[in-house]
Amino acid sequence: MPKLRDLCAAVALLLWAMPATAAPNVLATIKPVHSLVAAVMQGVGEPELLIGGALSVHSYALKPSDARKIERAAAIFEIGPDLETYLTAPLATLGARGRVVVLERLPGVRLLPARRGGLWEDTDEHGHGPTDPHIWLDPHNAIAMTVAIAAKLVKLDPAHAAAYRANGARQIAALKALDRELTAKLAPLRGRPYLVFHDAYHYFEARYGLTAAGAVTVAPDRPVGPRRIGTLRAAILQGHIACIFREPQFPPKLIGTLDEGTGVRVGVLDPLGADLKPGPALYPELLRALAQSLTECLGKKR
């Protein structure tokens, strides 16, 4: 019997010393999606991020290191081809399509059309498709995305299923609380018109009843022509615009041309979290930063 006890003790020690099952390699394309995935993976592993820093998803070009991330990923979370146009061909070439979760096609995700007409459209430019791809800026969509992320990870990595489910439930509760917080904060801003740099905030505005009047550019990676600048300046000078919002991913020179001599206020909106640290906390920080920027610029009288 002593030998059996010794053998059992040795086996137990060996099992204790063995490393826990490693989390799968998971890739997220943009920082807000990475944040939602990281929240579900807390305590298990960390997803990789494809586009970091202040880079624009609209003009991004894949690097060889990005191809390696795609090759080794067991799951890839992307918004979809309406946003990550640069990924369509590489995913097919690398045989990764079967590992991709297209978030804009999930049940429970509300899609909105790209806005047209008035100050949303330039007669010389047609830079958008039929659908607005910035789905993550509605917390209700983020909840649907979190449900799907947790389900995918449970299927991919059953050893950590309990952690994924618990993290997913905790994240959904936090997103519901964030939605209530933003509803209360943004209610006083309804009816105050403003210009955004490009039409990236439709979901946020629709959720909280905000009144964007148009966009500076319909295609953020293309120059804005003099006719459009004249149209926008006319609207500003007529007092139809309370504030113009620029984005940190693009040079501020164009906004300076628009607001020169008008007295209109200028703020900053960032749909991706360019200056925020990647991780689980980024998503709520991103939406709170949008709400704060809108409040600071629109909450003052011109």
Side-chain angles (χ1 to χ4, degrees):
M1 291 300 294
K3 288 184 177 180
L4 180 59
R5 284 198 300 271
D6 292 344
L7 179 60
C8 289
V11 170
L13 181 62
L14 180 63
L15 290 173
W16 178 84
M18 288 176 64
T21 306
N25 285 321
V26 175
L27 179 64
T29 54
I30 58 174
K31 291 170 85 172
V33 172
H34 177 270
S35 180
L36 296 175
V37 178
V40 177
M41 294 186 72
Q42 278 192 100
V44 179
E46 295 182 8
E48 286 195 285
L49 174 61
L50 193 63
I51 303 179
L55 299 172
S56 169
V57 69
H58 295 280
S59 57
Y60 190 72
L62 283 178
K63 304 186 293 290
S65 59
D66 297 328
R68 290 192 290 272
K69 289 180 181 179
I70 292 170
E71 286 178 327
R72 65 175 173 255
I76 302 166
F77 293 96
E78 69 163 1
I79 296 299
D82 287 324
L83 184 77
E84 293 105 339
T85 54
Y86 62 89
L87 265 185
T88 303
L91 288 177
T93 301
L94 295 169
R97 267 293 164 206
R99 295 176 276 135
V100 176
V101 178
V102 180
L103 298 172
E104 68 181 358
R105 296 176 185 164
L106 294 176
V109 169
R110 178 178 70 152
L111 296 178
L112 296 174
R115 291 180 277 199
R116 288 180 165 82
L119 297 180
W120 293 111
E121 189 165 26
D122 187 343
T123 55
D124 298 327
E125 292 278 357
H126 301 281
H128 43 57
T131 302
D132 184 339
H134 303 84
I135 60 172
W136 65 90
L137 293 181
D138 182 344
H140 289 219
N141 282 347
I143 288 171
M145 292 157 67
T146 298
V147 170
I149 290 165
K152 177 66 175 180
L153 291 172
V154 165
K155 184 177 181 180
L156 187 65
D157 182 22
H160 297 109
Y164 297 139
R165 290 191 180 105
N167 287 341
R170 189 179 307 111
Q171 174 74 347
I172 288 168
L175 290 169
K176 289 179 179 178
L178 176 64
D179 182 42
R180 293 191 294 270
E181 173 191 329
L182 295 176
T183 298
K185 184 178 182 66
L186 294 168
L189 305 183
R190 292 175 182 174
R192 302 182 188 181
Y194 57 93
L195 286 178
V196 294
F197 183 75
H198 83 290
D199 192 7
Y201 309 94
H202 194 179
Y203 292 91
F204 194 80
E205 292 153 359
R207 175 58 56 196
Y208 300 112
L210 301 175
T211 314
V216 173
T217 174
V218 298
D221 55 339
R222 301 179 192 174
V224 177
R227 182 190 302 177
R228 182 163 185 81
I229 290 174
T231 300
L232 295 170
R233 276 186 60 83
I236 295 166
L237 289 168
Q238 290 164 12
H240 299 325
I241 304 299
C243 191
I244 309 174
F245 289 96
R246 64 179 184 85
E247 293 181 12
Q249 292 90 348
F250 301 97
K253 182 179 179 181
L254 175 59
I255 303 299
T257 301
L258 283 174
D259 77 329
E260 185 178 2
T262 66
V264 70
R265 294 186 299 277
V266 176
V268 180
L269 291 178
D270 176 11
L272 291 169
D275 297 326
L276 299 178
K277 181 181 177 182
L282 180 141
Y283 184 83
E285 288 177 4
L286 171 65
L287 267 62
R288 287 188 178 107
L290 291 178
Q292 185 60 30
S293 292
L294 286 160
T295 300
E296 289 175 355
C297 202
L298 296 173
K300 302 172 184 176
K301 292 183 179 181
R302 185 174 173 181

mmCIF file of all heavy atoms in Angstrom, residues 187-229:
data_model
loop_
_atom_site.group_PDB
_atom_site.id
_atom_site.type_symbol
_atom_site.label_atom_id
_atom_site.label_comp_id
_atom_site.label_asym_id
_atom_site.label_seq_id
_atom_site.Cartn_x
_atom_site.Cartn_y
_atom_site.Cartn_z
ATOM 1 N N ALA A 187 -28.970 62.560 -23.133
ATOM 2 C CA ALA A 187 -30.332 63.072 -23.344
ATOM 3 C C ALA A 187 -30.383 64.593 -23.533
ATOM 4 O O ALA A 187 -31.123 65.081 -24.396
ATOM 5 C CB ALA A 187 -31.237 62.642 -22.193
ATOM 6 N N PRO A 188 -29.608 65.403 -22.789
ATOM 7 C CA PRO A 188 -29.692 66.864 -22.968
ATOM 8 C C PRO A 188 -29.166 67.373 -24.307
ATOM 9 O O PRO A 188 -29.379 68.543 -24.640
ATOM 10 C CB PRO A 188 -28.822 67.405 -21.814
ATOM 11 C CG PRO A 188 -28.739 66.291 -20.822
ATOM 12 C CD PRO A 188 -28.762 65.043 -21.633
ATOM 13 N N LEU A 189 -28.473 66.523 -25.083
ATOM 14 C CA LEU A 189 -27.855 66.976 -26.332
ATOM 15 C C LEU A 189 -28.748 66.782 -27.551
ATOM 16 O O LEU A 189 -28.383 67.197 -28.653
ATOM 17 C CB LEU A 189 -26.531 66.233 -26.568
ATOM 18 C CG LEU A 189 -25.494 66.291 -25.446
ATOM 19 C CD1 LEU A 189 -24.229 65.577 -25.876
ATOM 20 C CD2 LEU A 189 -25.204 67.732 -25.053
ATOM 21 N N ARG A 190 -29.898 66.183 -27.369
ATOM 22 C CA ARG A 190 -30.774 65.903 -28.511
ATOM 23 C C ARG A 190 -31.220 67.201 -29.175
ATOM 24 O O ARG A 190 -31.537 68.178 -28.509
ATOM 25 C CB ARG A 190 -31.981 65.088 -28.053
ATOM 26 C CG ARG A 190 -31.598 63.675 -27.611
ATOM 27 C CD ARG A 190 -32.778 62.913 -27.048
ATOM 28 N NE ARG A 190 -32.357 61.586 -26.598
ATOM 29 C CZ ARG A 190 -33.144 60.737 -25.958
ATOM 30 N NH1 ARG A 190 -34.396 61.080 -25.675
ATOM 31 N NH2 ARG A 190 -32.687 59.544 -25.594
ATOM 32 N N GLY A 191 -31.233 67.190 -30.514
ATOM 33 C CA GLY A 191 -31.681 68.350 -31.263
ATOM 34 C C GLY A 191 -30.607 69.367 -31.558
ATOM 35 O O GLY A 191 -30.894 70.393 -32.184
ATOM 36 N N ARG A 192 -29.364 69.135 -31.156
ATOM 37 C CA ARG A 192 -28.278 70.081 -31.411
ATOM 38 C C ARG A 192 -27.438 69.571 -32.592
ATOM 39 O O ARG A 192 -26.741 68.565 -32.473
ATOM 40 C CB ARG A 192 -27.411 70.256 -30.168
ATOM 41 C CG ARG A 192 -28.229 70.748 -28.976
ATOM 42 C CD ARG A 192 -27.384 70.979 -27.748
ATOM 43 N NE ARG A 192 -28.233 71.254 -26.593
ATOM 44 C CZ ARG A 192 -27.779 71.523 -25.375
ATOM 45 N NH1 ARG A 192 -26.468 71.583 -25.159
ATOM 46 N NH2 ARG A 192 -28.620 71.745 -24.387
ATOM 47 N N PRO A 193 -27.484 70.238 -33.753
ATOM 48 C CA PRO A 193 -26.853 69.712 -34.968
ATOM 49 C C PRO A 193 -25.333 69.887 -34.974
ATOM 50 O O PRO A 193 -24.803 70.877 -34.473
ATOM 51 C CB PRO A 193 -27.497 70.542 -36.083
ATOM 52 C CG PRO A 193 -27.851 71.830 -35.412
ATOM 53 C CD PRO A 193 -28.204 71.494 -33.989
ATOM 54 N N TYR A 194 -24.644 68.934 -35.559
ATOM 55 C CA TYR A 194 -23.187 68.980 -35.643
ATOM 56 C C TYR A 194 -22.724 68.223 -36.878
ATOM 57 O O TYR A 194 -23.469 67.442 -37.491
ATOM 58 C CB TYR A 194 -22.545 68.397 -34.379
ATOM 59 C CG TYR A 194 -22.962 66.974 -34.063
ATOM 60 C CD1 TYR A 194 -22.225 65.890 -34.507
ATOM 61 C CD2 TYR A 194 -24.119 66.723 -33.312
ATOM 62 C CE1 TYR A 194 -22.603 64.584 -34.211
ATOM 63 C CE2 TYR A 194 -24.503 65.426 -33.012
ATOM 64 C CZ TYR A 194 -23.745 64.367 -33.465
ATOM 65 O OH TYR A 194 -24.137 63.072 -33.182
ATOM 66 N N LEU A 195 -21.467 68.454 -37.265
ATOM 67 C CA LEU A 195 -20.827 67.741 -38.363
ATOM 68 C C LEU A 195 -19.795 66.769 -37.815
ATOM 69 O O LEU A 195 -19.006 67.130 -36.936
ATOM 70 C CB LEU A 195 -20.108 68.716 -39.305
ATOM 71 C CG LEU A 195 -20.924 69.592 -40.258
ATOM 72 C CD1 LEU A 195 -19.975 70.491 -41.050
ATOM 73 C CD2 LEU A 195 -21.766 68.751 -41.191
ATOM 74 N N VAL A 196 -19.772 65.555 -38.344
ATOM 75 C CA VAL A 196 -18.720 64.596 -38.023
ATOM 76 C C VAL A 196 -17.723 64.567 -39.174
ATOM 77 O O VAL A 196 -18.009 65.037 -40.271
ATOM 78 C CB VAL A 196 -19.311 63.189 -37.780
ATOM 79 C CG1 VAL A 196 -20.190 63.190 -36.539
ATOM 80 C CG2 VAL A 196 -20.099 62.688 -38.991
ATOM 81 N N PHE A 197 -16.549 64.006 -38.922
ATOM 82 C CA PHE A 197 -15.548 63.968 -39.993
ATOM 83 C C PHE A 197 -15.995 63.023 -41.105
ATOM 84 O O PHE A 197 -15.939 63.359 -42.286
ATOM 85 C CB PHE A 197 -14.187 63.541 -39.441
ATOM 86 C CG PHE A 197 -13.113 63.560 -40.493
ATOM 87 C CD1 PHE A 197 -12.579 64.764 -40.933
ATOM 88 C CD2 PHE A 197 -12.657 62.385 -41.071
ATOM 89 C CE1 PHE A 197 -11.610 64.793 -41.923
ATOM 90 C CE2 PHE A 197 -11.687 62.405 -42.055
ATOM 91 C CZ PHE A 197 -11.163 63.611 -42.484
ATOM 92 N N HIS A 198 -16.411 61.811 -40.725
ATOM 93 C CA HIS A 198 -17.036 60.926 -41.705
ATOM 94 C C HIS A 198 -18.144 60.142 -41.016
ATOM 95 O O HIS A 198 -18.239 60.124 -39.792
ATOM 96 C CB HIS A 198 -16.006 60.012 -42.382
ATOM 97 C CG HIS A 198 -15.631 58.769 -41.635
ATOM 98 N ND1 HIS A 198 -14.886 58.775 -40.470
ATOM 99 C CD2 HIS A 198 -15.889 57.466 -41.902
ATOM 100 C CE1 HIS A 198 -14.692 57.534 -40.067
ATOM 101 N NE2 HIS A 198 -15.299 56.722 -40.907
ATOM 102 N N ASP A 199 -19.002 59.543 -41.793
ATOM 103 C CA ASP A 199 -20.229 58.957 -41.258
ATOM 104 C C ASP A 199 -19.935 57.654 -40.520
ATOM 105 O O ASP A 199 -20.268 56.561 -40.986
ATOM 106 C CB ASP A 199 -21.226 58.729 -42.390
ATOM 107 C CG ASP A 199 -22.628 58.405 -41.878
ATOM 108 O OD1 ASP A 199 -22.844 58.491 -40.657
ATOM 109 O OD2 ASP A 199 -23.496 58.060 -42.701
ATOM 110 N N ALA A 200 -19.340 57.791 -39.331
ATOM 111 C CA ALA A 200 -18.950 56.619 -38.547
ATOM 112 C C ALA A 200 -19.801 56.420 -37.298
ATOM 113 O O ALA A 200 -19.631 55.431 -36.595
ATOM 114 C CB ALA A 200 -17.484 56.746 -38.130
ATOM 115 N N TYR A 201 -20.727 57.337 -37.011
ATOM 116 C CA TYR A 201 -21.359 57.359 -35.691
ATOM 117 C C TYR A 201 -22.876 57.154 -35.746
ATOM 118 O O TYR A 201 -23.580 57.436 -34.782
ATOM 119 C CB TYR A 201 -21.041 58.696 -35.000
ATOM 120 C CG TYR A 201 -19.562 58.983 -35.017
ATOM 121 C CD1 TYR A 201 -19.001 59.761 -36.028
ATOM 122 C CD2 TYR A 201 -18.713 58.421 -34.079
ATOM 123 C CE1 TYR A 201 -17.634 59.990 -36.084
ATOM 124 C CE2 TYR A 201 -17.352 58.645 -34.126
ATOM 125 C CZ TYR A 201 -16.813 59.428 -35.128
ATOM 126 O OH TYR A 201 -15.458 59.640 -35.184
ATOM 127 N N HIS A 202 -23.372 56.663 -36.884
ATOM 128 C CA HIS A 202 -24.812 56.504 -37.078
ATOM 129 C C HIS A 202 -25.437 55.640 -35.976
ATOM 130 O O HIS A 202 -26.505 55.954 -35.445
ATOM 131 C CB HIS A 202 -25.053 55.877 -38.453
ATOM 132 C CG HIS A 202 -26.466 55.958 -38.924
ATOM 133 N ND1 HIS A 202 -26.871 55.472 -40.146
ATOM 134 C CD2 HIS A 202 -27.590 56.448 -38.347
ATOM 135 C CE1 HIS A 202 -28.166 55.676 -40.302
ATOM 136 N NE2 HIS A 202 -28.614 56.260 -39.223
ATOM 137 N N TYR A 203 -24.756 54.552 -35.618
ATOM 138 C CA TYR A 203 -25.301 53.638 -34.610
ATOM 139 C C TYR A 203 -25.374 54.296 -33.238
ATOM 140 O O TYR A 203 -26.350 54.132 -32.508
ATOM 141 C CB TYR A 203 -24.454 52.359 -34.550
ATOM 142 C CG TYR A 203 -24.581 51.518 -35.797
ATOM 143 C CD1 TYR A 203 -23.699 51.689 -36.865
ATOM 144 C CD2 TYR A 203 -25.592 50.569 -35.928
ATOM 145 C CE1 TYR A 203 -23.819 50.938 -38.021
ATOM 146 C CE2 TYR A 203 -25.714 49.807 -37.089
ATOM 147 C CZ TYR A 203 -24.829 49.996 -38.129
ATOM 148 O OH TYR A 203 -24.961 49.263 -39.278
ATOM 149 N N PHE A 204 -24.346 55.032 -32.895
ATOM 150 C CA PHE A 204 -24.313 55.742 -31.612
ATOM 151 C C PHE A 204 -25.407 56.800 -31.576
ATOM 152 O O PHE A 204 -26.140 56.940 -30.592
ATOM 153 C CB PHE A 204 -22.933 56.379 -31.436
ATOM 154 C CG PHE A 204 -22.630 56.853 -30.042
ATOM 155 C CD1 PHE A 204 -22.229 55.959 -29.057
ATOM 156 C CD2 PHE A 204 -22.717 58.197 -29.717
ATOM 157 C CE1 PHE A 204 -21.929 56.396 -27.776
ATOM 158 C CE2 PHE A 204 -22.426 58.645 -28.443
ATOM 159 C CZ PHE A 204 -22.036 57.732 -27.463
ATOM 160 N N GLU A 205 -25.539 57.546 -32.666
ATOM 161 C CA GLU A 205 -26.525 58.620 -32.740
ATOM 162 C C GLU A 205 -27.955 58.078 -32.732
ATOM 163 O O GLU A 205 -28.844 58.630 -32.084
ATOM 164 C CB GLU A 205 -26.276 59.450 -34.005
ATOM 165 C CG GLU A 205 -24.978 60.236 -33.947
ATOM 166 C CD GLU A 205 -24.370 60.518 -35.307
ATOM 167 O OE1 GLU A 205 -24.942 60.084 -36.331
ATOM 168 O OE2 GLU A 205 -23.295 61.151 -35.334
ATOM 169 N N ALA A 206 -28.173 56.977 -33.454
ATOM 170 C CA ALA A 206 -29.517 56.381 -33.487
ATOM 171 C C ALA A 206 -29.903 55.824 -32.122
ATOM 172 O O ALA A 206 -31.058 55.936 -31.690
ATOM 173 C CB ALA A 206 -29.566 55.284 -34.548
ATOM 174 N N ARG A 207 -28.957 55.238 -31.433
ATOM 175 C CA ARG A 207 -29.250 54.664 -30.109
ATOM 176 C C ARG A 207 -29.613 55.751 -29.105
ATOM 177 O O ARG A 207 -30.497 55.558 -28.259
ATOM 178 C CB ARG A 207 -28.039 53.852 -29.627
ATOM 179 C CG ARG A 207 -28.137 53.280 -28.222
ATOM 180 C CD ARG A 207 -29.338 52.370 -28.051
ATOM 181 N NE ARG A 207 -29.356 51.285 -29.029
ATOM 182 C CZ ARG A 207 -30.428 50.556 -29.292
ATOM 183 N NH1 ARG A 207 -31.579 50.785 -28.672
ATOM 184 N NH2 ARG A 207 -30.366 49.592 -30.199
ATOM 185 N N TYR A 208 -28.952 56.919 -29.186
ATOM 186 C CA TYR A 208 -29.130 57.938 -28.153
ATOM 187 C C TYR A 208 -29.840 59.202 -28.659
ATOM 188 O O TYR A 208 -29.861 60.211 -27.963
ATOM 189 C CB TYR A 208 -27.777 58.268 -27.531
ATOM 190 C CG TYR A 208 -27.165 57.033 -26.915
ATOM 191 C CD1 TYR A 208 -26.017 56.450 -27.442
ATOM 192 C CD2 TYR A 208 -27.786 56.402 -25.832
ATOM 193 C CE1 TYR A 208 -25.489 55.286 -26.903
ATOM 194 C CE2 TYR A 208 -27.260 55.236 -25.290
ATOM 195 C CZ TYR A 208 -26.121 54.682 -25.836
ATOM 196 O OH TYR A 208 -25.618 53.517 -25.298
ATOM 197 N N GLY A 209 -30.423 59.146 -29.842
ATOM 198 C CA GLY A 209 -31.255 60.239 -30.322
ATOM 199 C C GLY A 209 -30.513 61.523 -30.622
ATOM 200 O O GLY A 209 -31.054 62.616 -30.439
ATOM 201 N N LEU A 210 -29.276 61.430 -31.115
ATOM 202 C CA LEU A 210 -28.481 62.614 -31.414
ATOM 203 C C LEU A 210 -28.734 63.093 -32.844
ATOM 204 O O LEU A 210 -29.259 62.351 -33.679
ATOM 205 C CB LEU A 210 -27.001 62.312 -31.205
ATOM 206 C CG LEU A 210 -26.636 61.850 -29.778
ATOM 207 C CD1 LEU A 210 -25.177 61.466 -29.705
ATOM 208 C CD2 LEU A 210 -26.969 62.935 -28.765
ATOM 209 N N THR A 211 -28.326 64.346 -33.137
ATOM 210 C CA THR A 211 -28.720 64.995 -34.387
ATOM 211 C C THR A 211 -27.508 65.418 -35.198
ATOM 212 O O THR A 211 -27.201 66.614 -35.297
ATOM 213 C CB THR A 211 -29.608 66.231 -34.095
ATOM 214 O OG1 THR A 211 -30.597 65.883 -33.135
ATOM 215 C CG2 THR A 211 -30.301 66.706 -35.367
ATOM 216 N N ALA A 212 -26.809 64.465 -35.776
ATOM 217 C CA ALA A 212 -25.734 64.808 -36.698
ATOM 218 C C ALA A 212 -26.345 65.326 -37.993
ATOM 219 O O ALA A 212 -27.313 64.764 -38.509
ATOM 220 C CB ALA A 212 -24.867 63.589 -36.982
ATOM 221 N N ALA A 213 -25.782 66.424 -38.534
ATOM 222 C CA ALA A 213 -26.349 67.060 -39.729
ATOM 223 C C ALA A 213 -25.655 66.626 -41.012
ATOM 224 O O ALA A 213 -26.189 66.839 -42.103
ATOM 225 C CB ALA A 213 -26.256 68.575 -39.592
ATOM 226 N N GLY A 214 -24.474 66.051 -40.891
ATOM 227 C CA GLY A 214 -23.748 65.640 -42.080
ATOM 228 C C GLY A 214 -22.309 65.300 -41.751
ATOM 229 O O GLY A 214 -21.897 65.312 -40.587
ATOM 230 N N ALA A 215 -21.537 64.980 -42.798
ATOM 231 C CA ALA A 215 -20.135 64.595 -42.635
ATOM 232 C C ALA A 215 -19.249 65.482 -43.501
ATOM 233 O O ALA A 215 -19.654 65.932 -44.582
ATOM 234 C CB ALA A 215 -19.938 63.129 -43.013
ATOM 235 N N VAL A 216 -18.045 65.723 -43.017
ATOM 236 C CA VAL A 216 -17.081 66.516 -43.777
ATOM 237 C C VAL A 216 -16.699 65.787 -45.060
ATOM 238 O O VAL A 216 -16.618 66.366 -46.136
ATOM 239 C CB VAL A 216 -15.836 66.817 -42.918
ATOM 240 C CG1 VAL A 216 -14.758 67.496 -43.757
ATOM 241 C CG2 VAL A 216 -16.222 67.668 -41.714
ATOM 242 N N THR A 217 -16.447 64.473 -44.947
ATOM 243 C CA THR A 217 -16.058 63.682 -46.112
ATOM 244 C C THR A 217 -16.883 62.409 -46.165
ATOM 245 O O THR A 217 -17.199 61.826 -45.123
ATOM 246 C CB THR A 217 -14.564 63.335 -46.073
ATOM 247 O OG1 THR A 217 -14.252 62.453 -47.160
ATOM 248 C CG2 THR A 217 -14.179 62.668 -44.773
ATOM 249 N N VAL A 218 -17.229 61.974 -47.362
ATOM 250 C CA VAL A 218 -17.944 60.712 -47.505
ATOM 251 C C VAL A 218 -16.977 59.550 -47.652
ATOM 252 O O VAL A 218 -17.383 58.385 -47.571
ATOM 253 C CB VAL A 218 -18.916 60.740 -48.708
ATOM 254 C CG1 VAL A 218 -19.970 61.806 -48.504
ATOM 255 C CG2 VAL A 218 -18.173 60.959 -50.028
ATOM 256 N N ALA A 219 -15.707 59.843 -47.893
ATOM 257 C CA ALA A 219 -14.673 58.816 -48.023
ATOM 258 C C ALA A 219 -13.414 59.343 -47.350
ATOM 259 O O ALA A 219 -12.706 60.180 -47.922
ATOM 260 C CB ALA A 219 -14.398 58.508 -49.493
ATOM 261 N N PRO A 220 -13.118 58.910 -46.110
ATOM 262 C CA PRO A 220 -12.053 59.548 -45.330
ATOM 263 C C PRO A 220 -10.656 59.428 -45.914
ATOM 264 O O PRO A 220 -9.768 60.175 -45.525
ATOM 265 C CB PRO A 220 -12.145 58.833 -43.977
ATOM 266 C CG PRO A 220 -12.888 57.576 -44.236
ATOM 267 C CD PRO A 220 -13.810 57.854 -45.371
ATOM 268 N N ASP A 221 -10.456 58.514 -46.859
ATOM 269 C CA ASP A 221 -9.132 58.367 -47.457
ATOM 270 C C ASP A 221 -8.999 59.126 -48.774
ATOM 271 O O ASP A 221 -8.028 58.964 -49.497
ATOM 272 C CB ASP A 221 -8.817 56.888 -47.674
ATOM 273 C CG ASP A 221 -9.882 56.182 -48.505
ATOM 274 O OD1 ASP A 221 -11.014 56.697 -48.569
ATOM 275 O OD2 ASP A 221 -9.579 55.125 -49.077
ATOM 276 N N ARG A 222 -10.014 59.979 -49.090
ATOM 277 C CA ARG A 222 -9.962 60.754 -50.327
ATOM 278 C C ARG A 222 -10.013 62.246 -50.012
ATOM 279 O O ARG A 222 -10.624 62.653 -49.027
ATOM 280 C CB ARG A 222 -11.147 60.399 -51.238
ATOM 281 C CG ARG A 222 -11.219 58.938 -51.623
ATOM 282 C CD ARG A 222 -12.433 58.686 -52.502
ATOM 283 N NE ARG A 222 -12.684 57.268 -52.656
ATOM 284 C CZ ARG A 222 -13.746 56.770 -53.285
ATOM 285 N NH1 ARG A 222 -14.631 57.591 -53.813
ATOM 286 N NH2 ARG A 222 -13.900 55.466 -53.382
ATOM 287 N N PRO A 223 -9.404 63.088 -50.858
ATOM 288 C CA PRO A 223 -9.450 64.532 -50.613
ATOM 289 C C PRO A 223 -10.861 65.089 -50.803
ATOM 290 O O PRO A 223 -11.663 64.544 -51.561
ATOM 291 C CB PRO A 223 -8.487 65.100 -51.666
ATOM 292 C CG PRO A 223 -8.430 64.060 -52.739
ATOM 293 C CD PRO A 223 -8.600 62.742 -52.051
ATOM 294 N N VAL A 224 -11.131 66.182 -50.097
ATOM 295 C CA VAL A 224 -12.423 66.856 -50.197
ATOM 296 C C VAL A 224 -12.294 68.005 -51.193
ATOM 297 O O VAL A 224 -11.389 68.831 -51.089
ATOM 298 C CB VAL A 224 -12.874 67.374 -48.820
ATOM 299 C CG1 VAL A 224 -14.191 68.132 -48.935
ATOM 300 C CG2 VAL A 224 -13.013 66.209 -47.848
ATOM 301 N N GLY A 225 -13.199 68.066 -52.156
ATOM 302 C CA GLY A 225 -13.125 69.079 -53.199
ATOM 303 C C GLY A 225 -13.600 70.440 -52.734
ATOM 304 O O GLY A 225 -14.307 70.567 -51.729
ATOM 305 N N PRO A 226 -13.237 71.501 -53.473
ATOM 306 C CA PRO A 226 -13.615 72.865 -53.094
ATOM 307 C C PRO A 226 -15.120 73.087 -53.068
ATOM 308 O O PRO A 226 -15.624 73.883 -52.279
ATOM 309 C CB PRO A 226 -12.936 73.740 -54.149
ATOM 310 C CG PRO A 226 -12.472 72.826 -55.225
ATOM 311 C CD PRO A 226 -12.336 71.467 -54.638
ATOM 312 N N ARG A 227 -15.871 72.398 -53.944
ATOM 313 C CA ARG A 227 -17.320 72.582 -53.946
ATOM 314 C C ARG A 227 -17.923 72.112 -52.622
ATOM 315 O O ARG A 227 -18.782 72.784 -52.053
ATOM 316 C CB ARG A 227 -17.940 71.809 -55.101
ATOM 317 C CG ARG A 227 -19.467 72.003 -55.202
ATOM 318 C CD ARG A 227 -20.091 71.039 -56.194
ATOM 319 N NE ARG A 227 -19.513 71.175 -57.516
ATOM 320 C CZ ARG A 227 -19.856 70.397 -58.546
ATOM 321 N NH1 ARG A 227 -20.752 69.450 -58.392
ATOM 322 N NH2 ARG A 227 -19.284 70.582 -59.729
ATOM 323 N N ARG A 228 -17.437 70.963 -52.141
ATOM 324 C CA ARG A 228 -17.967 70.450 -50.878
ATOM 325 C C ARG A 228 -17.567 71.351 -49.714
ATOM 326 O O ARG A 228 -18.356 71.610 -48.808
ATOM 327 C CB ARG A 228 -17.500 69.016 -50.628
ATOM 328 C CG ARG A 228 -18.064 68.419 -49.342
ATOM 329 C CD ARG A 228 -17.954 66.914 -49.302
ATOM 330 N NE ARG A 228 -18.602 66.378 -48.106
ATOM 331 C CZ ARG A 228 -19.905 66.187 -47.982
ATOM 332 N NH1 ARG A 228 -20.714 66.507 -48.977
ATOM 333 N NH2 ARG A 228 -20.420 65.690 -46.882
ATOM 334 N N ILE A 229 -16.337 71.837 -49.709
ATOM 335 C CA ILE A 229 -15.896 72.755 -48.655
ATOM 336 C C ILE A 229 -16.794 73.994 -48.627
ATOM 337 O O ILE A 229 -17.215 74.461 -47.563
ATOM 338 C CB ILE A 229 -14.418 73.145 -48.863
ATOM 339 C CG1 ILE A 229 -13.520 71.926 -48.576
ATOM 340 C CG2 ILE A 229 -14.041 74.316 -47.963
ATOM 341 C CD1 ILE A 229 -12.056 72.157 -48.886
#
